[in-house]
Amino acid sequence: MASIAAPSVPRARAEAPITFMCIVMCSFAAFGGILFGYDSGYINGILAMNKFHQDFGVVSSDADAFGGYLLPSYQKSLMTAILSLGTFLGALVAGWAADSWGRRNTNILGCVIYIVGVVLQTITSGNVALLTAGRAVGGLGVGFVSATVIMYVSEITPKGIRGRVVGGYQFAITIGIFLSACVNLGTKNREDTGAYRIPIALQFAWALILGVGLCFFPESPRYFVMKNDVDSALESLSRLRGQPKTSAFVVEEHNELVDSWRQEIADGAGSGGFLDCFTGGLKKGSNLHRTFIGTSVQVMQQLTGVNFIFYFGTSFFKTIGIKNAFIISIILGAVNVASTPVALWTIDNWGRRPLLIGGAVGMSICEFIVAIVATTTGGSDAAHKILIAFVCIYIFFFASTWGPTGWAVSGEVFPLTIRSKGIALSTASNWLFNFVIAFVTPYFVDDDKANLQSKVFFIWGSTCALAAVYAYFVVYETKGLSLESCDRMMKKVWPWQSAGWRPEIEGGVASVRDVEGAAAAVVPAPEVPAMGEQRRSWQNPLKRGRTASSSDTVSSKEQ
């Protein structure tokens, strides 16, 4: 076959076929989201249980008191928010642990810590201090898992399905919320401590499944590259892609990881500490720029107000006079679960930016409608039905856009040198604002405090409108790009230009015609060099040329 001339187009790396086992291995770690989701849901339910108020509340003559006992606002705030404080600290520590002990091992350690926290919560009966301590320890474990799951999944998953697999973390969160709502409904009328102990104790199962399962999965190849253990990196890639170590697919991806890591070091990437996340100034693609994107997208996700529904929805619905509040929570949980798979398709087909911008606009409209109707019509049955309907639509918009996509963005913007620390800071910012919202919300809505009730949706509607503007000016489009290509793109273009950038086009933004021309020049991978030669190239990086990635002529052999 004749050679195909492509003077200005570097050859694109061939991708290994995505096998069923590859999908299973890359997706399993995303199960970690169920820890966070279940915890968010179970606390929402038990805070509205009569038996919980009787055992943990204070003496009260309030009409809502059960048996003369009621949970005051400060106790609800403390019990709910302390988990987020623990996760904030856990996420920060996980950034160091993931680089020291590995991504997989840090996840397993997080599961062990979480189990200790569950035990402390389960053995308590009326002891607010012990329950709070247990939630803090459990939060530390969730912080470990939430930070390293995103990192681990982002690093091991092929670029073609990375968005939807990382989005699977959010899907696991929704499943956890839904399961907890079902369990709460089943135990809420019990008159013994099983009313709240059973929902608490079931958390043990999720941590055990994740921790034991990860023992059988490989470590991230990018972690091994960072440790200069290229043989282990090759072995890990081989297992993850379902290909032999001598496969051209595996060898080329391995070489790309090594080349990218060497280039980061040659560019003065630093030691990979937390302070390195804030270097480079305000120029595009700097570490500071990436840290701002990774942390701010998590902050904006929290400011959509979704955790107001999942932390306090049941008690809030009871407060404003809606009957069957536990049933409403199950309905919202079901909508959340059913809507998230939409994003698992759209995120890698439509892209990150359209989902975030469109989702924020949709959520803002829904929340303003809820606030306006509830404020102007009072507590009528019609107003309650409208509120529930538009809260469901709001949940749909969140679950199909900001829920999964926010996590995907945070997992894609950091170079390998600071990825563990950057994702740790991003996750920590999520938990910090989670803590703030969980702590202050009861003071916003409780009738003995600000008593905003449904007017609180004016706040969430405004923050969602701000999120749409934020997404347009801040978030990059990373659909279909390897993590190494994302790294190069962020140094070349601004977010609103990123949708047109392609790695095949030297210099940045590509037109549709450019992309079609580049696609025509893509050919199968070249013959694989001997492994000894590859290893010598790694050991002597200054002698290694770049001719393979910048050749002016790409040849293809007849099969």
Side-chain angles (χ1 to χ4, degrees), residues 247-507:
S247 163
F249 300 117
V250 172
V251 170
E252 282 212 336
E253 185 172 358
H254 174 267
N255 288 344
E256 182 182 33
L257 301 186
V258 171
D259 287 345
S260 178
W261 170 248
R262 286 213 324 269
Q263 189 61 50
E264 284 184 40
I265 300 302
D267 290 343
S271 62
F274 277 108
L275 292 180
D276 290 314
C277 295
F278 302 96
T279 59
L282 299 177
K283 65 182 180 180
K284 61 176 177 285
S286 68
N287 285 354
L288 178 61
H289 180 210
R290 296 163 190 259
T291 300
F292 170 73
I293 295 172
T295 55
S296 60
V297 75
Q298 294 297 323
V299 170
M300 295 309 300
Q301 187 196 64
Q302 288 299 306
L303 291 179
T304 61
V306 69
N307 279 328
F308 166 70
I309 299 296
F310 292 126
Y311 279 151
F312 301 105
T314 304
S315 53
F316 171 72
F317 292 142
K318 288 180 66 176
T319 300
I320 64 175
I322 293 179
K323 299 177 181 179
N324 299 319
F326 282 91
I327 298 295
I328 299 302
S329 292
I330 288 184
I331 293 173
L332 294 178
V335 171
N336 198 20
V337 172
S339 304
T340 303
V342 175
L344 304 187
W345 181 85
T346 56
I347 193 170
D348 283 323
N349 287 277
W350 293 2
R352 282 63 164 161
R353 283 170 55 83
L355 291 187
L356 293 179
I357 296 171
V361 171
M363 286 189 291
S364 181
I365 293 173
C366 290
E367 290 177 307
F368 277 125
I369 290 175
V370 168
I372 292 169
V373 171
T375 302
T376 57
T377 62
S380 66
D381 287 342
H384 288 165
K385 290 177 181 178
I386 293 174
L387 185 150
I388 294 169
F390 277 94
V391 167
C392 286
I393 298 172
Y394 156 71
I395 294 296
F396 164 78
F397 276 116
F398 176 83
S400 60
T401 59
W402 274 85
T405 310
W407 293 109
V409 170
S410 291
E412 295 171 337
V413 297
F414 297 103
L416 182 57
T417 316
I418 62 165
R419 184 169 297 140
S420 63
K421 308 302 192 300
I423 293 178
L425 288 171
S426 300
T427 308
S429 67
N430 179 292
W431 291 115
L432 177 62
F433 274 76
N434 191 303
F435 167 79
V436 171
I437 291 171
F439 190 82
V440 304
T441 295
Y443 294 93
F444 282 167
V445 300
D446 284 1
D447 53 11
D448 61 336
K449 303 299 179 185
N451 197 27
L452 291 179
Q453 295 195 4
S454 297
K455 296 183 183 72
V456 74
F457 284 95
F458 280 117
I459 297 176
W460 307 135
S462 300
T463 54
C464 284
L466 178 63
V469 177
Y470 160 86
Y472 178 82
F473 287 104
V474 176
V475 177
Y476 280 83
E477 184 53 72
T478 54
K479 178 186 69 173
L481 300 177
S482 68
L483 295 180
E484 289 67 35
S485 294
C486 293
D487 183 35
R488 298 199 303 273
M489 174 188 65
M490 294 183 67
K491 297 175 182 177
K492 295 179 179 293
V493 299
W494 292 107
W496 51 90
Q497 302 169 319
S498 58
W501 190 89
R502 296 292 183 274
E504 297 90 353
I505 307 302
E506 188 68 28

Side-chain angles (χ1 to χ4, degrees), residues 28 31 104 107-109 111-112 115 204-217:
F28 179 81
F31 178 81
R104 186 195 64 166
N107 269 310
I108 295 172
L109 176 61
C111 292
V112 173
I115 288 173
F204 179 87
W206 319 133
L208 190 66
I209 291 171
L210 179 64
V212 172
L214 283 175
C215 293
F216 299 96
F217 287 78

Side-chain angles (χ1 to χ4, degrees), residues 5-11 503-507 514 518 521 550-553:
S8 61
V9 182
R11 183 184 55 78
E504 297 90 353
I505 307 302
E506 188 68 28
D514 290 333
S550 60
S551 176
D552 290 341
T553 303

Side-chain angles (χ1 to χ4, degrees), residues 499-523:
W501 190 89
R502 296 292 183 274
E504 297 90 353
I505 307 302
E506 188 68 28
V509 181
S511 67
V512 174
R513 184 175 300 174
D514 290 333
V515 175
E516 290 173 349
V522 177
V523 295

